[in-house]
Amino acid sequence: MKGSELLRVIGAQVCLHATMAGMRLATPLLALQQGYSAAAVGVLISLFALTQVFLALPAGRFADRHGFKRPLWLSVIAAVVGAGLVAVFPVFPVMCLAALLTGGATGATVIALQRHVGRSAHDPTQLKRVFSWLAIAPALSNFVGPFLAGMLIDHAGREPADMLAFRICFVAMAGLPLICWMLARGAHEPPPTAPLAGAAPTRAWDLLREPMFRRLLFVNWLQSSSWDVHAFVLPVLGHDRGISASVIGSILGAFAIAAAVIRVMLPVIASRSSERGVILTSTIVTALVFAVYPLLDSAWTMGLCSVVLGFSLGAVQPMVMSMLHQITPHARHGEALGLRLMTINASSVAMPMLFGSLGAIIGIGGVFWVVGGVVALGARATWGLKA
């Protein structure tokens, strides 16, 4: 894949993902302004991920059958309709529908783009390099979407956060997917891989019978759970240490910046390291950081741990994507990506509830130690990974 085409694909993902990220900021703010409870807002936010759990496998199969552009075009339509409907009808039920549409569109786009980029790479080194660059897109999206939405809500209306400002914000969010399509529509698509003649029908769950795929999915789940536990437990730990909300936010921001920085550096690292080496190093560093975190009292030391953890966890996804494309059949890359995305999103829905219950029993520091111990035990599974 040429550098210019990869840049357009990254820009396309940034635009569509930013729509969801911006809507995830704007719709809860509008719901709270309209008097809805925190519980209702929590349900609204969860809907952005819920669709991706159930649509991931069908979206993967659809991408395997129809390639890159048709799934992307349908995702663009869903995102435009979702954001546009809230601009016209800014009421809570429509916000919930928009959350489902924009969340599902983002998940389907991620699968289609990852499948397209993986099929366009010619060797394992190029796989690692292109996925390293593609992994920068979510970090940019999670900055661009909320920043644009926040600026429009505060400054686009007659006064800050009035209904006109929210409507303009939703119109802008509906325009971003159109830019996504303009950037990606000229991408060269490799010819589809035809299934073997006479081959029996397959199911996505059959992929779990492959030992290496199961191992890779387990390792990816460990890393994703580590990401979730840091985002969920750190604010509680910081509160217990008497650290202010703005400082806790800065510590989490340092984690996100570190994760983005390591992904910028990964194209250089990828040519010198194997996927297994990067994932194993990340597993060991993550376990060590989780062992130390509950022992820290100052914001500076917690911030340093957050940066180290961001470097560690930020390096994993591109390596996992590279291995996944090497160990699964070409004709089933979409299914494999869908199964992975479904697993990660289901975990992100369930893990916070588990962490909260566990923290109530053994303390919030104990959650770090338990998860760190599980990650350390998972190093053995990482060692057995082979592309």
Side-chain angles (χ1 to χ4, degrees):
M1 175 178 283
K2 295 180 179 179
S4 58
E5 182 176 345
L6 179 61
L7 189 61
R8 290 200 305 273
V9 168
I10 292 172
Q13 184 177 351
V14 168
C15 288
L16 203 141
H17 196 128
T19 296
M20 183 191 72
M23 294 292 288
R24 199 165 50 194
L25 172 73
T27 51
L29 291 177
L30 180 57
L32 289 170
Q33 189 181 91
Q34 293 177 346
Y36 287 91
S37 67
V41 171
V43 171
L44 173 62
I45 294 174
S46 70
L47 294 179
F48 285 96
L50 185 65
T51 322
Q52 299 184 42
V53 176
F54 295 102
L55 279 186
L57 279 178
R61 295 192 192 101
F62 190 83
D64 282 334
R65 289 196 302 268
H66 299 288
F68 167 57
K69 293 182 182 178
R70 188 179 297 186
L72 184 64
W73 176 236
L74 292 175
S75 297
V76 167
I77 293 174
V80 171
V81 170
L85 279 175
V86 186
V88 179
F89 306 105
V91 295
F92 189 77
V94 179
M95 291 185 228
C96 293
L97 177 61
L100 293 170
L101 286 171
T102 55
T106 301
T109 299
V110 166
I111 291 171
L113 286 173
Q114 289 174 342
R115 178 183 178 276
H116 171 70
V117 169
R119 282 171 50 79
S120 300
H122 302 299
D123 56 65
T125 299
Q126 192 176 30
L127 268 175
K128 290 183 285 186
R129 186 175 295 117
V130 296
F131 278 120
S132 299
W133 285 114
L134 190 63
I136 299 170
L140 289 175
S141 306
N142 288 327
F143 170 76
V144 171
F147 178 77
L148 177 59
M151 291 293 289
L152 290 173
I153 291 170
D154 282 342
H155 301 291
R158 298 182 183 90
E159 58 184 52
D162 64 3
M163 185 55 67
L164 176 61
F166 275 105
R167 288 180 186 272
I168 293 174
C169 170
F170 294 135
V171 170
M173 294 300 107
L176 287 174
L178 299 177
I179 302 175
C180 164
W181 176 249
M182 293 172 60
L183 289 169
R185 64 179 180 175
H188 171 71
E189 188 166 1
T193 302
L196 296 175
T202 59
R203 298 178 303 169
W205 303 108
D206 295 337
L207 292 168
L208 294 175
R209 296 177 182 174
E210 299 295 329
M212 200 53 59
F213 183 80
R214 288 200 309 269
R215 187 182 292 266
L216 182 64
L217 204 61
F218 172 69
V219 169
N220 193 198
W221 171 78
L222 280 180
Q223 304 289 338
S224 175
S225 296
S226 301
W227 195 299
D228 289 338
V229 74
H230 183 256
F232 179 78
V233 178
L234 177 64
V236 182
L237 184 66
H239 178 75
D240 286 348
R241 300 291 189 269
I243 299 173
S244 68
S246 61
V247 174
I248 293 173
S250 299
I251 294 173
L252 287 172
F255 172 87
I257 292 171
V261 168
I262 192 63
R263 289 175 176 179
V264 174
M265 298 167 59
L266 269 179
V268 177
I269 300 172
S271 60
R272 296 174 171 85
S273 305
S274 66
E275 294 94 341
R276 183 179 67 175
V278 173
I279 297 173
L280 182 59
T281 301
S282 171
T283 301
I284 295 170
V285 171
T286 299
L288 291 174
V289 170
F290 274 23
V292 173
Y293 235 129
L295 305 176
L296 305 177
D297 290 321
S298 75
W300 285 106
T301 53
M302 292 175 70
L304 179 61
C305 271
S306 184
V307 169
V308 173
L309 194 65
F311 283 137
S312 174
L313 294 178
V316 171
Q317 181 182 322
M319 302 298 107
V320 169
M321 301 307 302
S322 174
M323 290 200 75
L324 184 144
H325 277 76
Q326 295 177 64
I327 65 177
T328 54
H330 283 283
R332 306 189 67 188
H333 280 167
E335 279 186 313
L337 290 166
L339 191 57
R340 172 192 167 273
L341 187 64
M342 184 188 72
T343 304
I344 298 306
N345 278 293
S347 175
S348 295
V349 172
M351 286 298 106
M353 293 184 286
L354 176 62
F355 298 149
S357 301
L358 191 61
I361 297 172
I362 63 175
I364 210 65
V367 176
F368 272 112
W369 286 328
V370 168
V371 175
V374 173
V375 171
L377 292 174
R380 182 176 180 180
T382 305
W383 182 257
L385 287 174
K386 291 186 296 184

